[in-house]
Amino acid sequence: MSSTLVPSTSLNNNTPINHNFPSSCTPRTLLNTLNFPFSIPSKLTLISPKSSTTANYNDIGLDEEMGQIKRLQNGSDVRGVAVEGEPGRKVNLTPPAVEAIAESFGEWVMDGLVKEKGRLTEDVRVSLGRDPRISGGSLSVAIFSGLGRAGCITYDMGLATTPACFMSTVLAPFSYDASIMMTASHLPYTRNGLKFFTKKGGLTSPEVEDICNKAAFKYANRLTKVSTLLKTTPTRVDFMSVYAKHLRDIIKERVNHPQHYDTPLEGFQIIVNAGNGSGGFFTFDVLDKLGADTFGSLNLTPDGMFPNHIPNPEDKVAMSVTRTAVLETSADLGIVFDTDVDRSGVVDKEGNPINGDKLIALMAAIVLKEHPASTIVTDARTSMALTRFITDRGGHHCLYRVGYRNVIDKGVQLNEDGVDAHLMMETSGHGALKENYFLDDGAYMVVKIIIEMVRMKLEGSNEGIGSLIKDLEDPLESVELRMDILSEPKHAKAQAIEIIETFKTYV
């Protein structure tokens, strides 16, 4: 499917495999039992015994206003409360705040291009995509205004996915210099946030921190007043159809079906649960056009209030309703996307949910067929059963710090050091592949699973995709504890660290 571009308008205003891993990838000791001398309640609220010192915001006497922007940083993303509706939480992701951050990002992109090319770069192009959250419209205006202030040419992708935003920087004829995705992933409708990309991939936490620090000065000094009407509107582009065709082409080429090349999914029924997020396109523009039967798919209409369940492959309701749909229709596969489609989970034909360790195992089994002896990088929460599963197939398991960006960056580092690492996955469902720009793309992950499912059928197997992990041992039960830190926002992070250290010492 082709895409027509409207002429742009400028917003001018002011190797051999090395198996010697670093010490961070050494095997772990399995703890069979944990005996605590106390009981842990179902909801744990801890209060720090003493308050921390106030943060030092350089030598400017505007620490509170600047702190409002700095606290919006969430690792490599920006996240905050965009609309009222949560008891005890005030709106902090406001249009003026978003405009200041977008302007600083635009300046950061320009500075980077100057350093890379050694000269000033004209016509710096930045795209914006968003999920269906109800705050998206007003915040989009603020982003375009901020990017315009920085001198960027802007492109409006409309409803999009996080991976598509990155792909808009590398797929011709778009190939933008940078992109922003407005989303708060699976968080409630009241939240929103920003994810940033250049052609090199997603930004790191220090880079986002630098952008937020610069934005804090703009915001605190009242340099930004959000425009209610843009002088020059951004160029509307249809990138999602190009991205969908990119995914279809991958499936067609790699399946290479001997009877029907253009419709390799004929005879397969696949259920998609988009959770009323941005993932519905995968049903209409990928699966249907490849010949799949998608009858019974769920929650495909974008709705920023997320009326049915949290769009999250870790959510029990999301998995349960998808499992029911798969069993009722005798489908071959069920797919669950999160809001912005950078994560996914699946349900096999027997109705077994595949997420967490099981999803990592499934992807590892597929990747190790293609790349024997590859290293699989995961966060440290995975089970020893997963380690055995990977090593039994000739792979190597590298465990690293929790956080999907940490896991991906570790994989990039290993490859730079000569260690062949083709898959990096976190238990939350974030998964990146070396073959796909080290991008955590939930749709691409599903594409890999679908290709393997069709190949198995062509080879004469009647077993579903779940048969690839039938010998994975069930891990010991794990429980995630989330603590509410009762504190002023500017002290919360320091107090949380103090609480955790106190808790560790006590244990």
Side-chain angles (χ1 to χ4, degrees):
M1 184 178 292
S2 63
S3 174
T4 303
L5 286 177
V6 182
S8 62
T9 307
S10 175
L11 291 178
N12 288 321
N13 196 16
N14 300 335
T15 329
I17 301 171
N18 176 6
H19 298 306
N20 296 319
F21 302 125
S23 58
S24 57
C25 298
T26 53
R28 301 176 305 158
T29 303
L30 176 63
L31 300 178
N32 291 319
T33 57
L34 294 174
N35 297 314
F36 293 103
F38 54 90
S39 61
I40 300 177
S42 58
K43 183 175 181 180
L44 182 64
T45 302
L46 299 180
I47 304 176
S48 176
K50 58 183 178 180
S51 61
S52 62
T53 58
T54 51
N56 176 25
Y57 295 115
N58 302 320
D59 54 356
I60 304 297
L62 302 169
D63 58 340
E64 180 53 38
E65 291 184 346
M66 292 175 65
Q68 291 177 22
I69 302 296
K70 294 183 177 185
R71 287 193 295 272
L72 291 172
Q73 182 192 0
N74 182 60
S76 57
D77 304 342
V78 165
R79 285 187 183 176
V81 180
V83 295
E84 295 182 357
E86 288 186 72
R89 292 188 179 272
K90 297 180 180 179
V91 172
N92 57 2
L93 193 71
T94 61
V98 167
E99 186 182 46
I101 294 170
E103 181 181 356
S104 296
F105 175 64
E107 293 170 349
W108 182 87
V109 172
M110 288 181 165
D111 290 343
L113 290 173
V114 169
K115 293 176 183 177
E116 181 181 320
K117 298 182 178 181
R119 57 178 174 79
L120 290 174
T121 303
E122 297 179 355
D123 299 337
V124 174
R125 306 183 309 151
V126 183
S127 64
L128 172 68
R130 60 187 177 98
D131 72 17
R133 291 169 190 275
I134 60 176
S135 57
S138 60
L139 293 183
S140 291
V141 175
I143 291 175
F144 289 129
S145 177
L147 291 172
R149 282 178 176 270
C152 299
I153 301 172
T154 54
Y155 296 84
D156 184 4
M157 291 169 55
L159 186 69
T161 68
T162 293
C165 283
F166 166 74
M167 293 302 293
S168 74
T169 70
V170 297
L171 283 186
F174 300 88
S175 301
Y176 301 126
D177 297 294
S179 184
I180 299 174
M181 175 66 182
M182 191 191 312
T183 182
S185 189
H186 63 281
L187 294 178
Y189 75 93
T190 54
R191 312 287 183 92
N192 216 327
L194 307 175
K195 297 183 177 183
F196 307 96
F197 299 95
T198 67
K199 296 178 185 294
K200 297 178 181 179
L203 270 62
T204 64
S205 294
E207 289 169 337
V208 175
E209 182 179 8
D210 181 43
I211 290 167
C212 287
N213 286 343
K214 292 175 180 176
F217 280 96
K218 291 181 172 65
Y219 180 80
N221 288 287
R222 295 292 189 263
L223 295 180
T224 54
K225 293 182 180 179
V226 174
S227 307
T228 56
L229 181 64
L230 294 174
K231 294 180 181 179
T232 306
T233 57
T235 302
R236 291 298 301 267
V237 295
D238 177 17
F239 180 77
M240 288 305 295
S241 65
V242 175
Y243 173 64
K245 181 180 182 300
H246 169 68
L247 296 178
R248 293 200 307 271
D249 288 346
I250 290 171
I251 294 175
K252 288 192 290 187
E253 291 167 7
R254 297 187 187 176
V255 169
N256 193 23
H257 202 288
Q259 279 82 43
H260 34 88
Y261 178 86
D262 289 325
T263 54
L265 301 187
E266 280 186 24
F268 290 91
Q269 181 161 8
I270 302 175
I271 299 290
V272 175
N273 183 353
N276 301 110
S278 299
F281 85 97
F282 195 81
T283 310
F284 310 121
D285 292 337
V286 179
L287 299 180
D288 286 350
K289 291 184 177 181
L290 292 177
D293 179 357
T294 57
F295 175 78
S297 291
L298 307 162
N299 309 322
L300 302 180
T301 305
D303 187 333
M305 298 296 290
F306 310 123
N308 295 293
H309 58 71
I310 299 171
N312 183 3
E314 293 185 289
D315 182 63
K316 291 182 179 179
V317 175
M319 274 295 181
S320 177
V321 297
T322 307
R323 177 181 184 274
T324 298
V326 167
L327 293 176
E328 286 181 348
T329 60
S330 299
D332 298 283
L333 185 70
I335 301 166
V336 181
F337 288 127
D338 76 337
T339 315
D340 57 326
V341 197
D342 60 355
R343 294 187 298 137
S344 57
V346 296
V347 176
D348 70 11
K349 64 186 296 185
E350 306 298 331
N352 299 309
I354 301 178
N355 53 15
D357 273 17
K358 292 182 178 180
L359 183 61
I360 299 175
L362 177 58
M363 288 305 304
I366 294 171
V367 167
L368 288 170
K369 282 186 177 183
E370 301 170 349
H371 305 283
S374 174
T375 292
I376 311 298
V377 186
T378 74
D379 64 281
R381 293 175 295 183
T382 55
S383 67
M384 291 301 294
L386 178 64
T387 300
R388 287 190 290 271
F389 181 89
I390 292 170
T391 55
D392 286 349
R393 283 157 180 75
H396 303 270
H397 190 191
C398 174
L399 296 111
Y400 198 58
R401 293 170 53 194
V402 172
Y404 77 92
R405 195 70 245 173
N406 296 325
V407 171
I408 294 173
D409 289 346
K410 185 63 179 178
V412 173
Q413 177 204 326
L414 288 175
N415 279 283
E416 290 175 349
D417 292 342
V419 178
D420 206 29
H422 284 269
L423 175 66
M424 307 93 223
M425 284 198 72
E426 194 187 36
T427 50
S428 65
H430 278 287
L433 289 137
K434 178 181 178 181
E435 68 187 54
N436 190 43
Y437 306 95
F438 295 99
L439 174 66
D440 50 321
D441 184 344
Y444 192 89
M445 196 76 58
V446 168
V447 162
K448 294 285 289 184
I449 293 171
I450 289 173
I451 291 169
E452 184 62 26
M453 179 180 70
V454 179
R455 284 175 174 171
M456 290 171 64
K457 192 74 170 180
L458 288 173
E459 291 168 0
S461 173
N462 290 320
E463 293 186 300
I465 201 76
S467 64
L468 294 178
I469 58 171
K470 60 186 177 184
D471 57 340
L472 175 69
E473 303 168 34
D474 287 333
L476 296 174
E477 182 179 357
S478 63
V479 177
E480 182 177 79
L481 298 177
R482 291 184 176 268
M483 299 181 289
D484 292 331
I485 308 298
L486 304 184
S487 166
E488 291 183 46
K490 63 183 178 181
H491 301 320
K493 184 174 181 179
Q495 290 198 6
I497 292 172
E498 184 178 354
I499 289 167
I500 291 170
E501 291 303 316
T502 303
F503 184 69
K504 280 171 60 180
T505 302
Y506 178 76
V507 172

